[in-house]
Amino acid sequence: MPTAWHPDEDPTPAPRDVEFMAAVLEGRHGWLAADVAEFFSTYHSQHGDTGRSWAWAGVAEVVRQRAVERIERAEAF
C-alpha cells in the first residue's frame, strides 16, 4: 500500500473507505460530521481537485443517510 499521495493516482475511494471515513467523522465530530466532510469537499473543489471533492461529498452523503436511518429507527420505538 502506498504511503504517500501521488497526483496521477485515482483518488476515488472504495465504498468501504467511504463508510469508514463516515464512521470516523461521526465519532470525532458527532452531529457536525456532515459539515466537516462538506468543508473538505469544498476545499478540494476550490483547489481544483475534483476527485477528492467528489469523494468527500460522498462521505457527507453517507453521514446524512446514517443520521436519517438513526432517526427512523428511534421513531419506530
Side-chain angles (χ1 to χ4, degrees):
M1 180 172 175
T3 58
W5 173 74
H6 297 282
D8 55 339
E9 288 182 7
D10 181 16
T12 305
R16 66 182 174 85
D17 295 332
V18 172
E19 291 285 335
F20 175 75
M21 286 308 299
V24 169
L25 287 179
E26 288 171 334
R28 291 186 179 200
H29 302 287
W31 61 274
L32 293 173
D35 292 333
V36 172
E38 283 293 330
F39 167 81
F40 285 121
S41 177
T42 301
Y43 174 84
H44 287 296
S45 177
Q46 290 175 347
H47 288 84
D49 193 343
T50 56
R52 281 185 176 71
S53 175
W54 177 84
W56 279 108
V59 172
E61 182 61 30
V62 168
V63 170
R64 288 187 184 102
Q65 184 58 40
R66 288 171 143 197
V68 167
E69 291 169 0
R70 282 191 294 272
I71 291 168
E72 288 173 350
R73 281 194 308 265
E75 290 175 348
F77 287 107

